[in-house]
Amino acid sequence: LIKRLIHGGMGNVGRIAVQLAQNTGAHVYTTASTANVAKLNKLADITAIDYTTTELDTLGVEFDLILDTIGGETLAKSLAVLKTGGKLVSIVDEPETTRTDITATQEFLTSSGTDLEALLNMIVNGVLMLPPMEVVPMTLANVRVGHELVGAGRYDRKYVLVYE
């Protein structure tokens, strides 16, 4: 069984990447904070890892593919649990490794109309689920509200800030 690790399973990129990985039939592992582990473990074929209490190298699992959405120390630790022949893709930092038995790259998004159309069709057909969205009207007087909402760590919804 193919094992994929996606860091930040409740973040913007991680949430979509987890669902796309599930659709390939792979077993998906993802990292999340203590508060979000239970939410993620309710999803089929997902093992959520509490990054605040568990080190990747203690799991006894080697991954075929790792998507790094965090960078830094998380990226470095991920390289150690990538199996021979595996691939690590970071969207944050350039991987630095002396391992020659793996592929490790930093990649940036290059969007296309075809890709966006495919994602939209997945959303419309219920294959990809988006979090609830909340529209928050913003004025110069209450711009602090937006910072408080984002800083609160509530990743169960997305906020659309509208300037009025």
Side-chain angles (χ1 to χ4, degrees):
L1 183 63
I2 296 173
K3 295 180 181 125
R4 297 187 178 172
L5 172 61
I6 298 165
H7 288 291
M10 287 295 284
N12 289 320
V13 173
R15 184 179 287 223
I16 296 297
V18 163
Q19 293 176 73
L20 291 171
Q22 280 182 295
N23 290 331
T24 68
H27 185 82
V28 181
Y29 294 75
T30 189
T31 57
S33 65
T34 305
N36 290 317
V37 165
K39 293 175 191 172
L40 287 164
N41 276 329
K42 290 179 183 175
L43 303 173
D45 297 323
I46 291 192
T47 300
I49 302 161
D50 185 341
Y51 68 83
T52 67
T53 61
T54 305
E55 293 291 332
L56 292 175
D57 61 358
T58 65
L59 296 172
V61 177
E62 287 188 313
F63 299 97
D64 300 279
L65 177 68
I66 299 175
L67 175 62
D68 169 46
T69 63
I70 308 296
E73 188 177 327
T74 299
L75 171 57
K77 290 179 178 182
S78 295
L79 289 164
V81 294
L82 190 61
K83 74 189 287 187
T84 296
K87 182 173 183 173
L88 181 141
V89 175
S90 177
I91 61 170
V92 183
D93 293 330
E94 181 70 38
E96 294 181 19
T97 183
T98 57
R99 288 185 64 182
T100 58
D101 62 331
I102 62 167
T103 303
T105 62
Q106 179 182 24
E107 298 191 17
F108 298 97
L109 174 67
T110 304
S111 63
S112 71
T114 304
D115 291 343
L116 294 174
E117 181 179 9
L119 288 171
L120 180 59
N121 284 333
M122 294 171 115
I123 293 166
V124 168
N125 293 320
V127 175
L128 287 179
M129 303 302 290
L130 298 179
M133 293 187 201
E134 185 175 325
V135 176
V136 179
M138 298 301 300
T139 64
L140 290 178
N142 74 351
V143 73
R144 174 185 253 188
V145 172
H147 289 286
E148 290 172 354
L149 290 170
V150 173
R154 286 202 52 206
Y155 292 114
D156 58 338
R157 68 187 67 246
K158 298 299 171 203
Y159 298 100
V160 180
L161 303 179
V162 179
Y163 179 74
E164 295 182 343

